[in-house]
Amino acid sequence: MRRLIALLSICVAGSLYSSAAQAEPALLTWSELPPLPDALGVAGPFAGVSGGALVVAGGANFPEGAPWEGGRKVWHDAAYVLAEPGGAWQAGLRLPRPLAYGVSATTPRGVVCAGGCDAERCYSDVFRLEWSGGSLRAAPLPPLPRPCANACGAVAGDTLYVAGGEDRPGATAALHTFWALDLADPQARWRELPPWPGAGRSLAAAAVQAEAFYLLGGVSLAAGADGKPVRTYLADAYRYDLKKGVWSRVADLPQPLAAAPSPAPTAGQSHVLLLGGDDGSRAGFQPVAAHPGFSRKVLSYHTITDTWCALGEVQAAHVTVPAVLWHSRLVVPSGEVRPGVRSPAVRAARLAGRKAGFGWINYATLFLYLGGMVWLGGSFARKNKTTDDFFRGGQRIPWWAAGVSIFATMLSSITFMAIPAQAYSVGWNLFLANTYVLITPLVIYVFLPFYRALNVTTAYEYLERRFNAAARLLASGLFILFQCGRVAIVLFLPSLALATVSDMDVTTCILLMGVLCVIYTVLGGIEAVIWTDFIQTIILMGGAVWALVSVVMRVDGGAGAVLREAAAHGKFFQTVPWTWDVAVASGWAIMLGSVFTNLFPYTASQDVVQRYVTTPDRKTAARAIWSNAAIAVPAQAIFFAIGTALFVFY
């Protein structure tokens, strides 16, 4: 026991003194691709990837002179294809007609182009540009419900979504429409979906991230005194849940923004990027020829925390142009850089995360801990003189250690990440699944005497006695398969976290943890597993409490503010539907279903049942099971509280 206390003290002390590594904001590193063959560049082109090549088509510019010099805007039908980043553009390709300011998005079959306009009118045409065998083909698709230009759109799965826009040149009201087309169904037609709750808008940015469609910024339109359109720049943003079909408002942009490259590029599982845009601060700037350009700020939206932050700047803001993911780079092909001025430059950016150093204290603590676990396993190897010692610890394990070990068996990285995320996004609904107090008497008075009377080593020995060896092998094999899947996730999640803040990659982290755990388990048997579980539980729960306290201390008003704000936003049990409808996650379904879900590991799963037979007698085994029930509920509450506190913090 003295060795255990010493090892635990060293690990905790190391963690207390180790400074948390904070990752620096990821930065965009920009480079230049071959410029567009049109020397002036174009605004409002269609762009995307087809057949592995970058396609840019259509657009408008002022070839006869700047607009303030009387130059006339000209719409183009020219299309260009760049097969490789270091290659040359192939020209001489054409669209069905001169067209610009439509929606374009990359799909597996090509670049889908929707709407657009020329000098005279807007169009409802939709087609797919397919690059193959050195030729560019425009395949028709079902037309939009009405003509539309300056809309925004993005593809989610096989569905293209289009929002807002204008139905004619010089319109004094923006569209308040939201349409969807299933691209995988040849017979599909556009569906009109409920629009967002805010104002109609044009020149907004769209993105699809985390099973949701995002509508960001844009401008609303109204008629001025002279009858011409007047823009109001917008900073509001909305989220459309693709599963539920419901709109909700999300955090406003830090500044109004329109005409940002769209579809807005996404990064990772939770970020949306706006690569500059027109913030309206220089609207009406005179003289127009001296306009300094548009906002160069890169804004990043985090879909989980519902927050915005600045992520550096672009070299030059290109607006009214799509953003395209090509060869792991975000490509902005041409676009408008000042009112009336285009650029042929094709800029590409790589999103490269930068890590702060993990630090020698962190590394020392990590390897000291892992090494300590292996040493502990080896120290118990000398006690394993029989198979009973190896598999049942000689039935000399204290009840309190066995109880903590049972709890630790169910505690994992899934608990650390999934439960706070659930509490953050939904609330405490799943806390109702803590039915351990209900099942514990059943386990103690029915199953525990059964296993103790059998005097078994594994939970599956009974199957062989009752049926045959085949039944035992089948049950054992299914248990092993299940654990392979579970352990894969349990190892993968902390490996992702560790790889994010250290210089080790995910594979190295998985191998390091997996191999060392196998070593100390094989060396020390169940006794080593239980005592390492004991140490790990104290460290893990200590870390959870520390995390909760750290977040609450950073909330203005402390714990009281957390409770008030979370209750006001329905982050406890307010959203639990108390219905007997089995098709929804109602309170009754969660509670009743969890009884059977929780009963399984405590009655038929080797990893838990094995702990029953490691204590000296049935009475101490019952204490172990009760202690697990006593620990599990408050421990779950801590993890739910972390998610709630994080919600209030952000």
Side-chain angles (χ1 to χ4, degrees):
M1 179 57 70
R2 289 195 299 270
R3 289 180 297 177
L4 289 173
I5 295 174
L7 178 59
L8 179 60
S9 300
I10 293 172
C11 291
V12 172
S15 64
L16 286 171
Y17 285 101
S18 62
S19 57
Q22 298 180 348
E24 298 178 9
L27 300 178
L28 291 168
T29 54
W30 291 90
S31 60
E32 298 278 344
L33 296 180
L36 210 65
D38 188 319
L40 296 178
V42 291
F46 298 105
V49 177
S50 178
L54 178 64
V55 179
V56 180
N61 58 18
F62 294 87
E64 300 171 1
W68 57 86
E69 297 173 348
R72 178 177 62 92
K73 180 184 282 190
V74 175
W75 275 254
H76 300 278
D77 62 359
Y80 309 99
V81 173
L82 185 63
E84 296 291 341
W89 288 94
Q90 181 169 338
L93 308 169
R94 292 282 181 262
L95 289 178
R97 65 164 57 91
L99 205 58
Y101 306 107
V103 170
S104 57
T106 298
T107 71
R109 292 188 57 189
V111 185
V112 175
C113 307
C117 67
D118 58 21
E120 304 298 328
R121 54 173 288 199
C122 294
Y123 293 88
S124 59
D125 297 358
V126 182
F127 53 90
R128 180 169 41 231
L129 294 177
E130 301 172 355
W131 171 254
S132 178
S135 63
L136 188 67
R137 174 177 174 266
L141 293 172
L144 293 166
R146 63 191 293 185
C148 180
N150 288 326
C152 65
V155 169
D158 294 321
T159 303
L160 172 64
Y161 295 87
V162 174
E166 306 162 27
D167 60 1
R168 59 185 175 83
T172 55
L175 296 177
H176 197 201
T177 53
F178 187 47
W179 302 315
L181 176 66
D182 184 352
L183 300 171
D185 184 358
Q187 306 302 319
R189 293 294 180 265
W190 287 89
R191 293 178 290 125
E192 187 151 0
L193 303 176
W196 57 98
R201 65 197 59 214
S202 178
L203 296 172
V208 168
Q209 178 67 289
E211 297 184 342
F213 176 92
Y214 289 88
L215 181 66
L216 311 169
V219 297
S220 62
L221 302 174
D226 57 358
K228 295 182 178 180
V230 176
R231 293 179 173 180
T232 298
Y233 287 80
L234 305 173
D236 53 339
Y238 301 90
R239 178 186 187 273
Y240 181 76
D241 190 308
L242 297 175
K243 287 187 174 180
K244 299 179 180 178
V246 176
W247 283 99
S248 59
R249 184 163 180 171
V250 297
D252 288 358
L253 281 67
Q255 63 190 45
L257 203 68
S262 178
T266 59
Q269 301 299 313
S270 56
H271 288 86
V272 177
L273 305 179
L274 294 180
L275 307 178
D278 183 2
D279 61 7
S281 63
R282 293 165 180 163
F285 186 93
Q286 295 294 330
V288 180
H291 193 287
F294 304 106
S295 172
R296 298 192 297 125
K297 288 183 180 178
V298 176
L299 300 179
S300 173
Y301 174 70
H302 196 288
T303 61
I304 298 175
T305 60
D306 191 27
T307 53
W308 290 88
C309 69
L311 195 67
E313 294 185 339
V314 294
Q315 293 176 323
H318 292 218
V319 303
T320 59
V321 62
V324 180
L325 179 62
W326 187 50
H327 285 277
S328 302
R329 287 186 276 191
L330 305 177
V331 179
V332 181
S334 194
E336 185 173 355
V337 292
R338 303 199 316 268
V341 179
R342 281 68 169 140
S343 170
V346 178
R347 304 186 188 277
R350 290 188 184 275
L351 188 63
R354 288 186 175 179
K355 302 176 184 177
F358 193 52
W360 70 269
I361 295 179
N362 285 299
Y363 276 115
T365 302
L366 173 64
F367 288 106
L368 177 64
Y369 166 77
L370 293 174
M373 294 297 102
V374 174
W375 168 77
L376 193 61
S379 69
F380 285 107
R382 294 187 296 272
K383 295 184 178 181
N384 292 329
K385 302 183 184 305
T386 67
T387 55
D388 186 69
D389 290 329
F390 187 84
F391 289 107
R392 302 198 300 182
Q395 293 188 312
R396 54 179 173 264
I397 304 297
W399 64 266
W400 47 270
V404 171
S405 181
I406 293 173
F407 169 73
T409 302
M410 310 307 294
L411 176 68
S412 69
S413 58
I414 300 175
T415 311
F416 262 79
M417 298 186 181
I419 290 180
Q422 174 72 15
Y424 185 106
S425 59
V426 177
W428 284 50
N429 299 22
L430 292 185
F431 186 74
L432 297 173
N434 284 287
T435 53
Y436 302 105
V437 176
L438 298 178
I439 67 171
T440 295
L442 179 64
V443 172
I444 288 177
Y445 293 109
V446 176
F447 292 93
L448 176 60
F450 178 77
Y451 281 116
R452 295 291 304 204
L454 287 175
N455 196 31
V456 294
T457 301
T458 74
Y460 310 111
E461 284 186 51
Y462 167 72
L463 295 177
E464 183 174 5
R465 298 182 187 181
R466 175 66 178 81
F467 300 104
N468 50 44
R472 175 183 180 177
L473 292 174
L474 177 62
S476 301
L478 291 174
F479 169 77
I480 292 171
L481 286 175
F482 172 77
Q483 289 300 327
C484 285
R486 180 177 181 271
V487 170
I489 299 172
V490 168
L491 283 175
F492 180 64
L493 290 178
S495 296
L496 280 177
L498 186 57
T500 300
V501 297
S502 73
D503 295 325
M504 295 183 288
D505 59 30
V506 172
T507 302
T508 300
C509 294
I510 291 174
L511 291 174
L512 179 66
M513 290 186 289
V515 170
L516 293 181
C517 287
V518 168
I519 290 174
Y520 75 69
T521 300
V522 171
L523 287 175
I526 188 63
E527 194 167 8
V529 170
I530 287 176
W531 287 113
T532 53
D533 280 348
F534 183 81
I535 293 175
Q536 290 164 4
T537 299
I538 294 176
I539 293 175
L540 290 172
M541 291 310 303
V545 172
W546 192 349
L548 177 59
V549 172
S550 298
V551 177
V552 171
M553 289 178 62
R554 286 167 173 77
V555 173
D556 293 336
V562 170
L563 293 174
R564 288 192 301 272
E565 289 295 321
H569 288 83
K571 289 299 179 180
F572 289 110
F573 298 101
Q574 296 94 323
T575 59
V576 178
W578 292 99
T579 173
W580 290 103
D581 184 356
V582 297
V584 299
S586 67
W588 300 117
I590 293 172
M591 293 178 67
L592 294 176
S594 68
V595 169
F596 296 98
T597 302
N598 293 332
L599 196 59
F600 158 68
Y602 292 92
T603 59
S605 185
Q606 171 65 12
D607 52 346
V608 175
V609 172
Q610 188 176 11
R611 270 73 174 175
Y612 298 173
V613 296
T614 60
T615 58
D617 51 43
R618 174 181 162 184
K619 184 178 179 180
T620 52
R623 289 179 182 175
I625 298 171
W626 272 118
S627 64
N628 163 72
I631 296 171
V633 176
Q636 289 268 355
I638 290 173
F639 290 106
F640 276 93
I642 290 172
T644 303
L646 286 171
F647 173 83
V648 175
F649 173 81
Y650 284 109

